[in-house]
Amino acid sequence: MRLKTKLSLGLGFLFVVILSFGIISLWYINRLSNDAENVLTNNHESLVYANNMLKALETIPIRKDAMQLFDDNLKKQEANITEIGERDATLELRKNFDELRVNPADPSNYPEIRQSLIRIQDINEMAILRKNAVAEKTASSARLWLTLIFTVLTLVSFSFIFNLPGVIAGPIRSLAEGIEEIANKNYGKRIFLKQEDEFGDLAAAFNSMAEKLDGYEHSSIAELQFEKSRIETIINQMRDGIIGFDTKRNILFINVVAQHLLGVKEPDVIGKYAPDIALRNDLMRTLLQPDISKKDLKIYADNKESYFSRDVLSVTSKDEVIGQVIVLRNITLFHELNEAKTNFIATVSHELKTPISSIKMSARLLTDERNGALDDNQRELIHSIRDDADRLLKITGELLNMAQVETGNIQLKLQPTPPADIVQQALLAVQFQAQQSGIVVRTQLQPNLPRISVDAEKTTWVLINLLTNALKYSNPPATVEVETQRRDGEVVFSVRDYGKGIEEKYLPRIFDRYFKVPGSQAGGGTGLGLAISREFIESQGGAIQVVSTPGEGSTFSFAFKI
Ligand code: ADP
């Protein structure tokens, strides 16, 4: 049964009971009141009239108005005949009274008159008693019915008090619990109500909603899981090692390559605080170092040395950093190719050195007078052969040095050296070239400079290279200045030229391997001189730098701590 019907029926029943209770009560009250009124008007008044007539009768001989008083009461009595037998008694009274009126001095009628009055009184008293008995019966019947109805009403009310809250509150409680479960994402929650009323409909609607939410959640979870496993598969199949962290540096994911490199298993590290793992894992410690060193990482894996570059990427969402990803890019192949190239260059340069030297030697022998006189033309040709051989020797020397640098095989012979020796050696080497080019090389050596612990040969090589460049990029007649001085606990060597200078945008790349400023002297060098210089200086613990202004010249300097 519908809740609405139940409530309508219950309240309707109560309404009917209350209505009938009221009607019956009113009916009984009305009836009792009518009975009382009847007794008062019909019988009590007759008793009063009879009483008055009796009193008047007694005073007839002594009071003049007694006869009139009697007659008035008799008339009233005649108008108030209500009981059986009362009429006869009243008629008889009238007859006797009329006879008395004819002869008021004759008291022989008195006993009949008194008899009639007593009869009237008796009839009315009897009627009062009878009506009282009827009223009592009515009152007890009213009591019975009203008690009965009151009892039924009380029972029904009790049943309502006990059942109605349960009927309404029970399903509402179940629904409230269900809604709370749904709010807590327990979409498996269902409500079972047996009743087929509005609450039953509500429970069915709730269950259908929960089912749809359940289905939706499962479908989106399945979709998310599919996407997750797809991304995991992609990450796992990559040749690069990938590790993901959240903002608190807990590990979120690590692919197979990274697990292999770090020598860890996924379940052992997922969700763990990375610095904790770094305590017992050297590679993790290196990876977490904040300074992003550009040096490649050499890792021993798969029974061979592999090279990886480390990229640290910040993962952002809506302009907020939500984590970090470290990508270990496998660059072993590039290393192997580079190594092969370096070996090739080293071998070729080495092999070329001997024939070039013998070409140089042959060219010098040709200029010897003992081998016959040469005309100017021939001398110039031989001169050109010697220049080219020199340049070739320089190039092969640089290539060899570079190969040495790239393979990490720089052999340093560090020994305390006076800075002046290095400057002198370098000046000797470039003297001829300077003279030929018409460039004056000025030196400024601070006296009493301390010895510095360097590889004299390599440091001289660097100074020669800087001087050669300064001569090469000056516009003769010009001056090149070499200066050596002590500054801030360092011995600084600097070479200043007043040549074309270098544009600012090229300065950061000037020490890179094979870099040449675009448009600089055609047929020039290899672009290796400054790269080798930097390697030589830095491997000895020194630093090299350049300051240059286009059109005004450049100053290259290197410094060693004392
Ligand atoms: P290269 O053997 O080609 O001279 P370097 O490594 O010595 O190679 O120099 C690299 C480049 O730097 C040169 O090609 C040149 O463009 C520029 N450079 C070097 N020194 C100077 C200088 N003193 N003035 C202007 N440019 C220079």
Side-chain angles (χ1 to χ4, degrees), residues 469 472-473 497 502 510 515-517 520 525-527 529-530 554:
N469 278 349
K472 198 157 58 174
Y473 298 107
D497 69 64
I502 304 162
I510 206 81
F515 178 78
K516 292 196 264 186
V517 172
S520 63
T526 53
L530 288 178
S554 319

Side-chain angles (χ1 to χ4, degrees), residues 143-166:
R143 207 177 299 121
L144 181 76
W145 278 107
L146 292 178
T147 311
L148 203 70
I149 293 169
F150 177 76
T151 313
V152 170
L153 213 59
T154 310
L155 286 175
V156 170
S157 306
F158 263 110
S159 127
F160 268 44
I161 288 169
F162 282 113
N163 293 325
L164 197 64

Side-chain angles (χ1 to χ4, degrees), residues 198-209:
E198 284 85 345
F199 284 125
D201 293 352
L202 206 56
F206 174 90
N207 289 344
S208 129
M209 176 197 76

